[in-house]
Amino acid sequence: MLPEELHGSGGSRLAAAGVFYSCPVTGRALAAGRRRWFILPIYIQRMASAEEPVSNVDDSPVHEDGCDSASVSENDSKPRDRTSLVDSTEEFEIIDSTGEDDDDLSDLPLLESVANEGSGKTQTESSEQSEYGADGKGPEEWMDILGNGLLKKKVLTPGKGPESRPRKGQDVTVQLKTTLEDGSVVEDIGSFTFTLGDGDVIQALDLCVQLMGTEETVLIDANSKYCYGKEGRSPDILPNANLVLEVTLLDVKDGPDLELLTGLEKLALANKKRERGNFYYQQADYVFAINSYDIALKIVNSSSKVDFTPEEEEELLDVKMKCLNNLAASQLKLDHFEAALKSCNMVLEQQPENIKALFRKGKVLAQQGEYTEAIAILRKALKLEPTNKTIHAELSKLVKKHADQKNVETAMYKKMLGNVSTSTSKPTRKSSWSISWKWLFGATAIAIGGVALSVVIAARN
């Protein structure tokens, strides 16, 4: 019979429906679903007498793919038509009984374990099934990678499972077939290798390969934003072109140990990252450009256990200067003036007469309002390369802007000083009159004194 403390409670829809579970430890009647409780289904005598079927819970949550979560029914062995992308267990409230809240149930198995025992599948198997579909041959619909509908992936051939997925920084080898929306093939590459997460390839490929298992084949539907964007790729991919990629993950291995690379290997790897940064700069993706230049600088600056020749050292220094100059240009585009100034100074410490570093430092100083110093830097750059029209144009523009600023400042100062002189002009006139009256009185006194002296002398005679 239903315990007295549970009768008529409104805390659970299952209680209203008459479905409860009995805890083997305490014997309490519980509503279904607390994750840390081992529960055994029983049927309430009131249900049997009423001969009413046990109905599914009507308010179970709906997942993104439209599939409802598992509901409580009399026969739980009925298979579902499809599995959700995200496995979850419906939580129901426990109808609290009076005076029995101190039972320790922490050692009991999880509710998910009980559910998996009933189906004969482990939690890992359920996760894999939710990703690849109930038949294990692929999902029944596209997986939205970013949640905005612009990048989707669909498994065509399952691989070795999630445990074989590559990690960021590892080198992956893939087979790639790229087609336009009209079905025309623009490239079909049997095998090529790139470093995952370094931005060596388009974002659509870089993001989706991270979710693939080894030997897995997927179809990727990618918006142009995650491909070649508004610039496109001449001549085969037009601007703002969406792409469909068919990708097979062939192999995964750890990236190279930078300390063990030879001089030529380090040069080749650093130049590869730098050229990728140049690609992003041309695409106006300055954040990705900065990322590629930073990776190239990390490679060049890494310590090495291999001896390099003087020629290799010089070439590595040249690559470093190019990366810093390009890094400063990208930072300048994003108005990161302090960072750009730091990059320019790092170049000028090694090469004080580097034209590009001087030019970009002058532009940074001009943006910060340091016109005098900026003009001096640009004049130095122009002296080193007098025929450079870009430097000449920038210097002329800056000189004119500086002159205009000085004129404005001069006019402002004159206005301020003009008010001061007007207010002090009247006291100046008073002081001039006072000086003339003093001279007059002085002259009169001297004249009177002279007359008096003459009278005295005449009286003595």
Side-chain angles (χ1 to χ4, degrees):
M1 295 296 293
L2 191 66
E4 185 65 23
E5 62 269 22
L6 301 180
H7 192 277
S9 173
S12 170
R13 293 178 179 268
L14 285 177
V19 179
F20 292 86
Y21 295 94
S22 175
C23 175
V25 178
T26 64
R28 288 187 298 170
L30 307 174
R34 270 307 197 209
R35 289 180 176 235
R36 300 193 57 82
W37 290 41
F38 185 92
I39 53 178
L40 296 175
I42 64 171
Y43 300 104
I44 306 304
Q45 295 181 5
R46 187 181 64 178
M47 287 290 297
S49 61
E51 294 183 356
E52 295 178 356
V54 181
S55 61
N56 292 341
V57 180
D58 58 357
D59 59 346
S60 59
V62 179
H63 296 289
E64 294 180 359
D65 60 348
C67 179
D68 295 340
S69 62
S71 57
V72 179
S73 65
E74 182 177 1
N75 185 6
D76 194 36
S77 62
K78 182 178 179 180
R80 289 176 289 178
D81 293 336
R82 49 182 299 194
T83 46
S84 170
L85 291 177
V86 180
D87 290 332
S88 62
T89 303
E90 176 66 15
E91 298 259 355
F92 301 107
E93 296 181 1
I94 295 179
I95 310 297
D96 295 329
S97 60
T98 59
E100 293 186 300
D101 294 333
D102 297 329
D103 297 316
D104 184 10
L105 305 178
S106 60
D107 295 332
L108 298 179
L110 300 178
L111 181 60
E112 288 89 339
S113 300
V114 180
N116 287 334
E117 286 178 7
S119 61
K121 298 179 181 178
T122 65
Q123 187 172 359
T124 303
E125 290 172 348
S126 300
S127 176
E128 292 178 1
Q129 177 178 319
S130 66
E131 180 179 358
Y132 295 113
D135 56 359
K137 296 181 180 180
E140 298 181 13
E141 61 182 25
W142 291 88
M143 178 185 293
D144 192 348
I145 302 299
L146 300 176
N148 57 8
L150 301 180
L151 182 61
K152 297 179 291 184
K153 140 179 129 64
K154 182 177 183 179
V155 177
L156 300 180
T157 304
K160 294 183 178 180
E163 66 278 359
S164 65
R165 288 176 177 174
R167 301 184 305 274
K168 183 179 179 181
Q170 289 186 312
D171 288 344
V172 296
T173 302
V174 300
Q175 180 180 348
L176 174 65
K177 181 179 179 181
T178 306
T179 60
L180 301 176
E181 289 183 308
D182 60 5
S184 57
V185 179
V186 294
E187 62 183 353
D188 194 349
I189 305 174
S191 174
F192 79 99
T193 302
F194 64 93
T195 303
L196 192 63
D198 278 8
D200 293 345
V201 293
I202 59 176
Q203 296 180 54
L205 188 59
D206 210 358
L207 292 172
C208 290
V209 170
Q210 298 182 41
L211 302 176
M212 295 176 59
T214 307
E215 298 181 3
E216 179 177 326
T217 300
V218 302
L219 200 63
I220 301 172
D221 185 3
N223 184 271
S224 61
K225 177 180 179 181
Y226 303 105
C227 299
Y228 293 95
K230 60 182 180 181
E231 299 296 329
R233 189 186 71 179
S234 180
D236 49 359
I237 299 179
L238 298 175
N240 300 315
N242 300 335
L243 298 178
V244 178
L245 313 175
E246 183 177 333
V247 186
T248 302
L249 180 57
L250 302 177
D251 188 30
V252 178
K253 62 180 180 180
D254 292 333
D257 188 344
L258 298 180
E259 292 185 340
L260 301 179
L261 294 179
T262 65
L264 293 178
E265 290 172 339
K266 183 172 285 191
L267 276 170
L269 186 58
N271 274 318
K272 179 180 178 181
K273 304 299 182 182
R274 179 180 63 84
E275 290 169 0
R276 189 64 185 177
N278 294 345
F279 165 80
Y280 283 123
Y281 187 89
Q282 294 170 358
Q283 297 284 329
D285 290 332
Y286 302 116
V287 173
F288 286 98
I290 290 174
N291 178 67
S292 295
Y293 295 137
D294 280 337
I295 295 173
L297 288 170
K298 179 182 177 182
I299 295 170
V300 173
N301 294 330
S302 63
S303 59
S304 179
K305 297 179 180 179
V306 180
D307 294 331
F308 298 154
T309 65
E311 291 79 11
E312 290 172 341
E313 292 281 1
E314 186 177 352
E315 290 180 6
L316 284 171
L317 178 61
D318 183 60
V319 172
K320 180 179 179 180
M321 298 300 102
K322 290 179 179 178
C323 289
L324 286 170
N325 268 323
N326 295 345
L327 180 62
S330 301
Q331 292 165 337
L332 190 58
K333 290 289 187 180
L334 296 175
D335 295 339
H336 297 169
F337 301 129
E338 291 296 332
L341 186 61
K342 182 179 179 180
S343 299
C344 293
N345 287 334
M346 291 177 67
V347 176
L348 295 174
E349 287 175 2
Q350 299 289 333
Q351 299 176 351
E353 295 184 350
N354 188 293
I355 302 295
K356 291 183 178 180
L358 289 171
F359 173 70
R360 291 184 178 122
K361 182 177 181 179
K363 292 190 68 174
V364 171
L365 292 172
Q367 291 291 338
Q368 292 179 326
E370 302 292 339
Y371 293 114
T372 302
E373 189 177 355
I375 290 173
I377 293 289
L378 291 178
R379 282 177 175 167
K380 181 179 179 180
L382 188 61
K383 185 177 180 180
L384 293 170
E385 194 171 322
T387 59
N388 193 310
K389 295 181 179 180
T390 303
I391 299 177
H392 190 278
E394 186 68 24
L395 180 59
S396 300
K397 181 175 67 175
L398 188 56
V399 168
K400 184 178 182 302
K401 185 183 293 186
H402 186 42
D404 293 340
Q405 185 188 39
K406 289 183 67 175
N407 292 334
V408 171
E409 291 176 353
T410 302
M412 182 176 62
Y413 291 148
K414 283 183 177 181
K415 186 176 181 180
M416 294 173 61
L417 295 175
N419 293 334
V420 174
S421 61
T422 302
S423 61
T424 59
S425 59
K426 291 183 179 180
T428 302
R429 292 193 192 98
K430 287 182 180 180
S431 61
S432 61
W433 275 103
S434 63
I435 291 174
S436 59
W437 277 109
K438 287 178 181 179
W439 279 103
L440 181 60
F441 283 122
T444 303
I446 292 172
I448 294 173
V451 171
L453 182 61
S454 300
V455 171
V456 171
I457 292 172
R460 286 183 178 181
N461 292 333

